[in-house]
Amino acid sequence: MRPGQSRITTPRKESDTCKILSGVGQGSTLGTPIAVSVPNTDQRGNDYSEMALAYRPSHADATYDFKYGVRAVEGGGRSSARETIGRVAAGAVAKKLLKIQSATEVLAYVSRVHGVELPDDVVDHEKLTIEQIESNIVRCPDPVIAEEMIKAIDMVRLRGDSVGGVITCIARNVPRGLGSPVFDKLEAELAKGLMSLPATKGFEIGSGFSGSKMTGSEHNDEFYIDDSGNVRTRTNRSGGIQGGISNGETIVMRVAFKPTSTITTLQKTVTREGHETEFRARGRHDPCVVPRAVPMVEAMVALVLADQLLQHHAQCQLLRFDTNLPPANGEKGSENVTLEEAATRR
């Protein structure tokens, strides 16, 4: 998620070196709050001088001012995607908890940039690896489609514009029984977590909106008993969740991100004093936020699932893992990855 990774992201150079200040000792959590410091080293406050006078169209500049009467001009404050570094650091801990306790694995990838879309049948979610996702700068597991996405971003970047896209996220080996039947449905908690990320504008799970075009006989996931005697579904249009509770199948979600608000194209806006004017942003900004948002999406899904795991343990007093589900990618539940390595994925 860090800036300066490639030509299709903001040219800001940040190492995103994490320093754990408390809560961890000798490679294990201590049960106390974990504090992680990640300094920004390449900020340019003067790039935001015009933004102190006028609102960027479709940015949080205006609504923050409407609500609080004051806002962080230099960098955007809480409206900046830089706030998500804390989510990614916390998500690293959640990922380890999920991996150790239930062999659950969370992976996300870019499935659409502007009009370039990855067909649904191209990626095998049961065999998908992080190496496939990280094999190119756009974080799309298909190299051919990835090149088309990069070209689409390059085209708008050169003319000072921006584009949005979609991230698909999967969670494999999720224990059955996570979630609650009514207000705290698992998909509702996932939607809330993912829609709290900057620039998000849509959420789908399983068949999503396309499922509304089907009949019940087309959409229903028929049950069967597998070779190990487990109840499974032949299809997964429910996206791994039924009635707000996980059913043991892979959870499949999609999150839509809008185009970056801050662009160098001349736009009409208003000043803080209420005068109409024109505005052209300066500074270093992403022509497409989607590739850098992949670790953010993974982190939020991991945090929600870890939270649900703890709630299930508290509510049901006995955490019943579905031990017959195969471990992710044939691996064991635990993984020799340090918190520092997990928190600084890039």
Side-chain angles (χ1 to χ4, degrees):
M1 62 164 287
R2 68 184 177 92
Q5 298 181 75
S6 69
R7 71 177 188 275
I8 63 171
T9 65
T10 171
R12 281 183 55 199
K13 298 294 183 182
E14 296 286 358
S15 64
D16 275 7
T17 302
C18 294
K19 183 178 181 181
I20 298 178
L21 304 179
S22 67
V24 177
Q26 298 181 346
S28 299
T29 56
L30 303 176
T32 52
I34 299 173
V36 181
S37 174
V38 188
N40 283 346
T41 58
D42 187 22
Q43 65 272 51
R44 297 178 187 173
N46 290 334
D47 286 349
Y48 297 85
S49 57
E50 294 93 344
M51 300 169 197
L53 306 175
Y55 300 129
R56 286 171 284 181
S58 287
H59 199 276
D61 291 344
T63 51
Y64 274 38
D65 231 2
F66 298 161
K67 184 174 180 67
Y68 303 109
V70 65
R71 58 189 170 88
V73 175
E74 295 85 357
R78 287 179 295 176
S79 66
S80 169
R82 290 299 286 158
E83 64 88 358
T84 59
I85 184 66
R87 305 177 190 229
V88 175
V93 181
K95 281 184 177 183
K96 289 189 70 69
L97 172 66
L98 293 168
K99 189 74 171 180
I100 292 169
Q101 292 298 320
S102 57
T104 300
E105 187 176 24
V106 180
L107 290 172
Y109 60 90
V110 176
S111 54
R112 194 177 80 206
V113 167
H114 198 39
V116 181
E117 188 165 11
L118 183 66
D120 290 336
D121 57 353
V122 170
V123 178
D124 185 344
H125 286 162
E126 301 309 310
K127 297 180 180 179
L128 180 67
T129 65
I130 191 172
E131 288 76 20
Q132 290 175 296
I133 297 168
E134 296 290 341
S135 64
N136 55 74
I137 59 177
V138 80
R139 285 179 166 145
C140 173
D142 183 88
V144 176
I145 302 296
E147 283 302 314
E148 294 181 24
M149 291 178 174
I150 293 169
K151 290 177 182 177
I153 297 173
D154 270 336
M155 287 179 63
V156 297
R157 177 179 63 87
L158 293 173
R159 63 173 186 257
D161 212 336
S162 64
V163 291
V166 173
I167 289 176
T168 297
C169 184
I170 63 168
R172 296 189 293 226
N173 299 338
V174 177
R176 295 170 178 169
L178 300 190
S180 300
V182 188
F183 297 110
D184 298 323
K185 293 179 186 290
L186 183 54
E187 62 263 56
E189 296 298 298
L190 289 166
K192 179 181 178 181
L194 290 172
M195 291 298 288
S196 74
L197 288 169
T200 52
K201 285 297 179 184
F203 173 82
E204 286 187 319
I205 190 158
S207 62
F209 286 96
S210 66
S212 65
K213 302 176 184 178
M214 300 180 184
T215 62
S217 58
E218 293 171 328
H219 189 271
N220 288 348
D221 296 316
E222 294 184 342
F223 291 110
Y224 75 102
I225 305 298
D226 68 10
D227 295 337
S228 300
N230 295 313
V231 177
R232 302 289 302 274
T233 61
R234 297 188 186 279
T235 54
N236 193 24
R237 298 184 188 93
S238 298
I241 301 174
Q242 293 171 327
I245 298 172
S246 59
N247 65 3
E249 303 297 332
T250 298
I251 297 178
V252 183
M253 301 149 279
R254 286 172 295 279
V255 192
F257 288 80
K258 70 181 180 69
T260 314
S261 299
T262 310
I263 58 178
T264 57
T265 302
L266 189 65
Q267 301 177 88
K268 295 184 183 300
T269 187
V270 298
T271 65
R272 294 189 73 193
E273 288 72 29
H275 303 298
E276 293 188 357
T277 185
E278 291 184 331
F279 175 84
R280 188 191 302 274
R282 292 188 298 122
R284 300 161 295 171
H285 307 282
D286 290 274
C288 180
V289 300
V290 183
R292 286 211 293 138
V294 167
M296 305 176 196
V297 169
E298 290 183 358
M300 289 310 300
V301 170
L303 287 167
V304 170
L305 292 179
D307 191 41
Q308 292 296 315
L309 202 64
L310 296 172
Q311 286 188 40
H312 182 73
H313 179 69
Q315 292 169 349
C316 300
Q317 299 179 4
L318 180 63
L319 194 57
R320 301 173 186 269
F321 291 123
D322 189 348
T323 55
N324 291 316
L325 285 175
N329 293 331
E331 298 173 351
K332 301 296 183 182
S334 61
E335 184 180 23
N336 295 322
V337 179
T338 65
L339 291 177
E340 292 90 339
E341 290 172 334
T344 56
R345 177 192 163 193
R346 49 188 182 269

